[in-house]
Amino acid sequence: TRIGARSGPASADDLEEFCPAALVCGTQSETVLSAARQVLGCQTLRIYASSDLSGVEVARAMSGVIALASGVCEVLQYGIASRAVLVSRSAAEISRLGMALGGKERTFLGLAGVGGLMVASQRTDSPDYQLGRLLAAGLPLAEAEKQIARVCDSIHMVRDGHRLAAALGVRMPILSMLHRWIVEGVELKKALRDLLEDANYVE
């Protein structure tokens, strides 16, 4: 099947400035991989190959959720340690979901997973990051989306990811906290407090 997905630590700004960056092309088709490298590849952008299409798809889809959560962290004035916890623990959560959907663990620990999440957490100009900032500042979802006036994937991913995790029996505390706040209407501070007081955690 000639289907592919891409994820990884590359932003438009990096590409425009020809800064070194990388993407992962998840596909089982050599034709798709060759086309991706021919169209996207250049001296400063490496296109890595992965046969784990499902894993790359999940990693890319969930990166918007991390961008949204990072915007929330900025408004709450959380420090660099909090950002590190967000990225690393989210990578663990996403890997559990991805593996339950047929992905490979190493995908989420590499460029497509952790690499992509690091970029998502730092791209302050992305629509999902801005959405997180506006929601954390107290704006209703509809008003926040209207102000941004760009496509935001994170809300759909919070809903769909939470639904999949529940159906598959996958524990995703950070995603569940975001769902409780954004979808279920629980106050942000309470949802965060419940997350931080959750005693059921292991590395």
Side-chain angles (χ1 to χ4, degrees):
T1 304
R2 295 183 178 182
I3 299 175
R6 59 111 182 120
S7 182
S11 69
D13 290 341
D14 290 331
L15 300 181
E16 289 175 0
E17 297 297 328
F18 294 99
C19 296
L23 290 172
V24 177
C25 179
T27 184
Q28 297 182 356
S29 168
E30 286 295 329
T31 301
V32 170
L33 176 61
S34 297
R37 284 176 166 164
Q38 182 177 358
V39 173
L40 299 175
C42 66
Q43 188 175 9
T44 55
L45 177 64
R46 299 197 67 174
I47 309 294
Y48 287 81
S50 172
S51 60
D52 185 13
L53 174 59
S54 296
V56 174
E57 285 183 308
V58 172
R60 176 63 186 89
M62 296 302 292
S63 65
V65 177
I66 306 310
L68 180 142
S70 298
V72 174
C73 287
E74 179 182 315
V75 172
L76 297 177
Q77 297 183 328
Y78 285 173
I80 190 171
S82 299
R83 303 294 186 96
V85 171
L86 172 64
V87 171
S88 57
R89 294 314 305 160
S90 294
E93 291 188 13
I94 294 167
S95 70
R96 290 196 290 267
L97 178 62
M99 290 168 65
L101 292 169
K104 300 176 182 177
E105 184 177 20
R106 68 179 184 181
T107 299
F108 304 97
L109 301 177
L111 291 171
V114 174
L117 297 185
M118 289 179 65
V119 171
S121 71
Q122 296 296 320
R123 283 195 58 204
T124 60
D125 62 336
S126 75
D128 289 303
Y129 192 105
Q130 292 298 320
L131 181 63
R133 290 182 71 254
L134 293 175
L135 292 177
L139 266 70
L141 177 58
E143 179 60 28
E145 290 179 321
K146 182 178 179 181
Q147 281 196 27
I148 294 171
R150 289 187 289 169
V151 175
C152 295
D153 298 323
S154 54
I155 301 301
H156 298 296
M157 293 303 101
V158 167
R159 291 193 178 104
D160 293 346
H162 184 267
R163 175 180 54 80
L164 282 171
L168 295 169
V170 176
R171 178 174 159 77
M172 300 184 72
I174 295 174
L175 182 67
S176 295
M177 183 278 292
L178 292 171
H179 189 273
R180 292 184 66 212
W181 169 45
I182 296 172
V183 178
E184 299 174 27
V186 175
E187 183 185 19
L188 175 58
K189 290 184 178 179
K190 173 173 173 46
L192 280 169
R193 184 172 61 251
D194 291 344
L195 172 65
L196 295 174
E197 292 178 352
D198 182 0
N200 185 17
Y201 58 88
V202 293
E203 171 57 36

